[in-house]
mmCIF file of all heavy atoms in Angstrom:
data_model
loop_
_atom_site.group_PDB
_atom_site.id
_atom_site.type_symbol
_atom_site.label_atom_id
_atom_site.label_comp_id
_atom_site.label_asym_id
_atom_site.label_seq_id
_atom_site.Cartn_x
_atom_site.Cartn_y
_atom_site.Cartn_z
ATOM 1 N N LYS A 230 20.038 -25.029 -14.462
ATOM 2 C CA LYS A 230 21.017 -26.082 -14.801
ATOM 3 C C LYS A 230 22.052 -25.540 -15.757
ATOM 4 O O LYS A 230 23.288 -25.829 -15.440
ATOM 5 C CB LYS A 230 20.177 -27.206 -15.493
ATOM 6 C CG LYS A 230 21.074 -28.400 -15.772
ATOM 7 C CD LYS A 230 20.292 -29.508 -16.443
ATOM 8 C CE LYS A 230 21.140 -30.627 -16.784
ATOM 9 N NZ LYS A 230 20.358 -31.748 -17.462
ATOM 10 N N GLU A 231 21.761 -24.754 -16.680
ATOM 11 C CA GLU A 231 22.726 -24.189 -17.580
ATOM 12 C C GLU A 231 23.677 -23.209 -16.783
ATOM 13 O O GLU A 231 24.851 -23.276 -17.014
ATOM 14 C CB GLU A 231 22.091 -23.377 -18.653
ATOM 15 C CG GLU A 231 21.345 -24.294 -19.665
ATOM 16 C CD GLU A 231 20.548 -23.412 -20.697
ATOM 17 O OE1 GLU A 231 20.691 -22.154 -20.712
ATOM 18 O OE2 GLU A 231 19.830 -23.958 -21.528
ATOM 19 N N ALA A 232 23.126 -22.458 -15.882
ATOM 20 C CA ALA A 232 23.902 -21.445 -15.070
ATOM 21 C C ALA A 232 24.913 -22.270 -14.123
ATOM 22 O O ALA A 232 26.009 -21.864 -14.021
ATOM 23 C CB ALA A 232 23.053 -20.556 -14.244
ATOM 24 N N LEU A 233 24.409 -23.404 -13.574
ATOM 25 C CA LEU A 233 25.231 -24.211 -12.782
ATOM 26 C C LEU A 233 26.344 -24.849 -13.545
ATOM 27 O O LEU A 233 27.561 -24.886 -13.084
ATOM 28 C CB LEU A 233 24.463 -25.303 -12.112
ATOM 29 C CG LEU A 233 25.166 -26.237 -11.104
ATOM 30 C CD1 LEU A 233 25.571 -25.320 -9.933
ATOM 31 C CD2 LEU A 233 24.195 -27.296 -10.642
ATOM 32 N N GLU A 234 26.192 -25.360 -14.755
ATOM 33 C CA GLU A 234 27.147 -25.959 -15.601
ATOM 34 C C GLU A 234 28.223 -24.933 -16.014
ATOM 35 O O GLU A 234 29.433 -25.083 -15.940
ATOM 36 C CB GLU A 234 26.511 -26.555 -16.889
ATOM 37 C CG GLU A 234 25.695 -27.844 -16.561
ATOM 38 C CD GLU A 234 24.994 -28.355 -17.828
ATOM 39 O OE1 GLU A 234 25.054 -27.722 -18.894
ATOM 40 O OE2 GLU A 234 24.376 -29.376 -17.712
ATOM 41 N N GLN A 235 27.695 -23.709 -16.341
ATOM 42 C CA GLN A 235 28.648 -22.593 -16.718
ATOM 43 C C GLN A 235 29.461 -22.255 -15.522
ATOM 44 O O GLN A 235 30.706 -21.996 -15.735
ATOM 45 C CB GLN A 235 27.870 -21.382 -17.212
ATOM 46 C CG GLN A 235 28.714 -20.347 -17.786
ATOM 47 C CD GLN A 235 27.824 -19.086 -18.342
ATOM 48 O OE1 GLN A 235 26.628 -19.225 -18.151
ATOM 49 N NE2 GLN A 235 28.490 -18.208 -18.972
ATOM 50 N N GLU A 236 28.941 -22.196 -14.338
ATOM 51 C CA GLU A 236 29.751 -21.895 -13.127
ATOM 52 C C GLU A 236 30.771 -22.859 -12.926
ATOM 53 O O GLU A 236 31.875 -22.471 -12.513
ATOM 54 C CB GLU A 236 28.697 -21.698 -11.971
ATOM 55 C CG GLU A 236 29.325 -21.273 -10.726
ATOM 56 C CD GLU A 236 28.356 -21.101 -9.612
ATOM 57 O OE1 GLU A 236 27.247 -20.695 -9.847
ATOM 58 O OE2 GLU A 236 28.770 -21.307 -8.390
ATOM 59 N N LEU A 237 30.458 -24.147 -13.087
ATOM 60 C CA LEU A 237 31.392 -25.172 -12.851
ATOM 61 C C LEU A 237 32.594 -25.098 -13.856
ATOM 62 O O LEU A 237 33.731 -25.297 -13.498
ATOM 63 C CB LEU A 237 30.767 -26.541 -12.933
ATOM 64 C CG LEU A 237 29.778 -26.912 -11.766
ATOM 65 C CD1 LEU A 237 29.114 -28.342 -12.058
ATOM 66 C CD2 LEU A 237 30.605 -26.984 -10.502
ATOM 67 N N GLU A 238 32.198 -24.830 -15.115
ATOM 68 C CA GLU A 238 33.249 -24.681 -16.089
ATOM 69 C C GLU A 238 34.175 -23.505 -15.732
ATOM 70 O O GLU A 238 35.379 -23.561 -15.942
ATOM 71 C CB GLU A 238 32.592 -24.438 -17.466
ATOM 72 C CG GLU A 238 31.973 -25.647 -18.043
ATOM 73 C CD GLU A 238 31.281 -25.412 -19.427
ATOM 74 O OE1 GLU A 238 31.320 -24.244 -19.886
ATOM 75 O OE2 GLU A 238 30.552 -26.378 -19.876
ATOM 76 N N GLU A 239 33.573 -22.346 -15.330
ATOM 77 C CA GLU A 239 34.342 -21.227 -15.020
ATOM 78 C C GLU A 239 35.321 -21.491 -13.827
ATOM 79 O O GLU A 239 36.498 -21.037 -13.818
ATOM 80 C CB GLU A 239 33.460 -20.068 -14.683
ATOM 81 C CG GLU A 239 32.828 -19.438 -15.767
ATOM 82 C CD GLU A 239 31.828 -18.375 -15.432
ATOM 83 O OE1 GLU A 239 31.695 -18.105 -14.121
ATOM 84 O OE2 GLU A 239 31.147 -17.783 -16.299
ATOM 85 N N LYS A 240 34.897 -22.290 -12.856
ATOM 86 C CA LYS A 240 35.696 -22.623 -11.703
ATOM 87 C C LYS A 240 36.847 -23.527 -12.139
ATOM 88 O O LYS A 240 37.930 -23.291 -11.708
ATOM 89 C CB LYS A 240 34.852 -23.346 -10.652
ATOM 90 C CG LYS A 240 34.033 -22.388 -9.802
ATOM 91 C CD LYS A 240 33.332 -23.151 -8.640
ATOM 92 C CE LYS A 240 32.488 -22.330 -7.862
ATOM 93 N NZ LYS A 240 31.812 -23.035 -6.715
ATOM 94 N N GLU A 241 36.617 -24.365 -13.060
ATOM 95 C CA GLU A 241 37.542 -25.338 -13.567
ATOM 96 C C GLU A 241 38.668 -24.517 -14.275
ATOM 97 O O GLU A 241 39.901 -24.673 -14.148
ATOM 98 C CB GLU A 241 36.941 -26.352 -14.520
ATOM 99 C CG GLU A 241 37.537 -27.681 -14.663
ATOM 100 C CD GLU A 241 37.997 -28.451 -13.427
ATOM 101 O OE1 GLU A 241 37.228 -28.613 -12.555
ATOM 102 O OE2 GLU A 241 39.153 -28.802 -13.354
ATOM 103 N N GLU A 242 38.280 -23.497 -15.088
ATOM 104 C CA GLU A 242 39.200 -22.735 -15.828
ATOM 105 C C GLU A 242 40.086 -21.875 -14.934
ATOM 106 O O GLU A 242 41.282 -21.675 -15.126
ATOM 107 C CB GLU A 242 38.369 -21.740 -16.841
ATOM 108 C CG GLU A 242 37.802 -22.442 -17.971
ATOM 109 C CD GLU A 242 36.898 -21.580 -18.840
ATOM 110 O OE1 GLU A 242 36.880 -20.383 -18.501
ATOM 111 O OE2 GLU A 242 36.285 -22.036 -19.832
ATOM 112 N N GLU A 243 39.382 -21.310 -13.878
ATOM 113 C CA GLU A 243 40.163 -20.506 -12.800
ATOM 114 C C GLU A 243 41.205 -21.363 -12.144
ATOM 115 O O GLU A 243 42.285 -21.015 -11.909
ATOM 116 C CB GLU A 243 39.230 -19.903 -11.836
ATOM 117 C CG GLU A 243 38.348 -18.822 -12.428
ATOM 118 C CD GLU A 243 37.407 -18.247 -11.289
ATOM 119 O OE1 GLU A 243 37.576 -18.543 -10.129
ATOM 120 O OE2 GLU A 243 36.407 -17.549 -11.689
ATOM 121 N N LYS A 244 40.815 -22.622 -11.882
ATOM 122 C CA LYS A 244 41.746 -23.556 -11.222
ATOM 123 C C LYS A 244 42.920 -23.827 -12.067
ATOM 124 O O LYS A 244 44.080 -23.797 -11.689
ATOM 125 C CB LYS A 244 40.984 -24.885 -10.843
ATOM 126 C CG LYS A 244 41.868 -25.889 -10.155
ATOM 127 C CD LYS A 244 40.980 -27.109 -9.819
ATOM 128 C CE LYS A 244 41.750 -28.180 -9.153
ATOM 129 N NZ LYS A 244 40.980 -29.381 -8.831
ATOM 130 N N GLU A 245 42.663 -24.023 -13.394
ATOM 131 C CA GLU A 245 43.775 -24.329 -14.345
ATOM 132 C C GLU A 245 44.666 -23.128 -14.465
ATOM 133 O O GLU A 245 45.903 -23.227 -14.494
ATOM 134 C CB GLU A 245 43.191 -24.696 -15.690
ATOM 135 C CG GLU A 245 42.579 -26.096 -15.721
ATOM 136 C CD GLU A 245 41.942 -26.418 -17.065
ATOM 137 O OE1 GLU A 245 42.136 -25.685 -18.007
ATOM 138 O OE2 GLU A 245 41.220 -27.364 -17.129
ATOM 139 N N LYS A 246 44.116 -21.899 -14.549
ATOM 140 C CA LYS A 246 44.943 -20.693 -14.689
ATOM 141 C C LYS A 246 45.751 -20.548 -13.435
ATOM 142 O O LYS A 246 46.987 -20.174 -13.510
ATOM 143 C CB LYS A 246 44.014 -19.444 -14.813
ATOM 144 C CG LYS A 246 43.458 -19.376 -16.197
ATOM 145 C CD LYS A 246 42.584 -18.050 -16.248
ATOM 146 C CE LYS A 246 41.873 -17.857 -17.574
ATOM 147 N NZ LYS A 246 41.072 -16.663 -17.541
ATOM 148 N N TYR A 247 45.135 -20.798 -12.245
ATOM 149 C CA TYR A 247 46.008 -20.600 -10.981
ATOM 150 C C TYR A 247 47.152 -21.579 -10.920
ATOM 151 O O TYR A 247 48.282 -21.260 -10.544
ATOM 152 C CB TYR A 247 45.036 -20.857 -9.819
ATOM 153 C CG TYR A 247 45.723 -20.731 -8.476
ATOM 154 C CD1 TYR A 247 45.973 -19.506 -7.976
ATOM 155 C CD2 TYR A 247 46.148 -21.894 -7.777
ATOM 156 C CE1 TYR A 247 46.628 -19.367 -6.698
ATOM 157 C CE2 TYR A 247 46.787 -21.732 -6.585
ATOM 158 C CZ TYR A 247 47.033 -20.447 -6.060
ATOM 159 O OH TYR A 247 47.741 -20.337 -4.861
ATOM 160 N N LEU A 248 46.866 -22.883 -11.391
ATOM 161 C CA LEU A 248 47.935 -23.822 -11.341
ATOM 162 C C LEU A 248 49.055 -23.476 -12.337
ATOM 163 O O LEU A 248 50.260 -23.717 -12.112
ATOM 164 C CB LEU A 248 47.394 -25.202 -11.613
ATOM 165 C CG LEU A 248 46.518 -25.865 -10.511
ATOM 166 C CD1 LEU A 248 45.961 -27.194 -10.992
ATOM 167 C CD2 LEU A 248 47.380 -25.975 -9.328
ATOM 168 N N GLU A 249 48.670 -22.960 -13.516
ATOM 169 C CA GLU A 249 49.671 -22.643 -14.517
ATOM 170 C C GLU A 249 50.562 -21.415 -14.090
ATOM 171 O O GLU A 249 51.740 -21.390 -14.240
ATOM 172 C CB GLU A 249 49.049 -22.148 -15.821
ATOM 173 C CG GLU A 249 48.415 -23.410 -16.569
ATOM 174 C CD GLU A 249 47.657 -22.996 -17.835
ATOM 175 O OE1 GLU A 249 47.683 -21.716 -18.226
ATOM 176 O OE2 GLU A 249 47.062 -23.764 -18.496
ATOM 177 N N GLU A 250 49.910 -20.487 -13.343
ATOM 178 C CA GLU A 250 50.703 -19.323 -12.826
ATOM 179 C C GLU A 250 51.583 -19.689 -11.731
ATOM 180 O O GLU A 250 52.701 -19.213 -11.555
ATOM 181 C CB GLU A 250 49.653 -18.145 -12.410
ATOM 182 C CG GLU A 250 48.950 -17.551 -13.520
ATOM 183 C CD GLU A 250 47.867 -16.632 -13.003
ATOM 184 O OE1 GLU A 250 47.772 -16.423 -11.797
ATOM 185 O OE2 GLU A 250 47.116 -16.067 -13.917
ATOM 186 N N ASN A 251 51.128 -20.522 -10.782
ATOM 187 C CA ASN A 251 51.790 -20.778 -9.557
ATOM 188 C C ASN A 251 52.731 -22.006 -9.622
ATOM 189 O O ASN A 251 53.663 -22.220 -8.720
ATOM 190 C CB ASN A 251 50.871 -20.917 -8.346
ATOM 191 C CG ASN A 251 50.204 -19.567 -8.090
ATOM 192 O OD1 ASN A 251 50.748 -18.494 -8.342
ATOM 193 N ND2 ASN A 251 49.018 -19.586 -7.469
#
Side-chain angles (χ1 to χ4, degrees):
K230 184 179 178 183
E231 291 174 7
L233 185 62
E234 289 173 357
Q235 186 177 8
E236 186 177 326
L237 290 174
E238 289 175 6
E239 289 175 359
K240 283 185 179 180
E241 207 48 52
E242 290 174 3
E243 287 178 15
K244 184 178 177 181
E245 289 176 12
K246 284 182 184 178
Y247 179 80
L248 289 176
E249 287 176 5
E250 292 173 1
N251 293 336

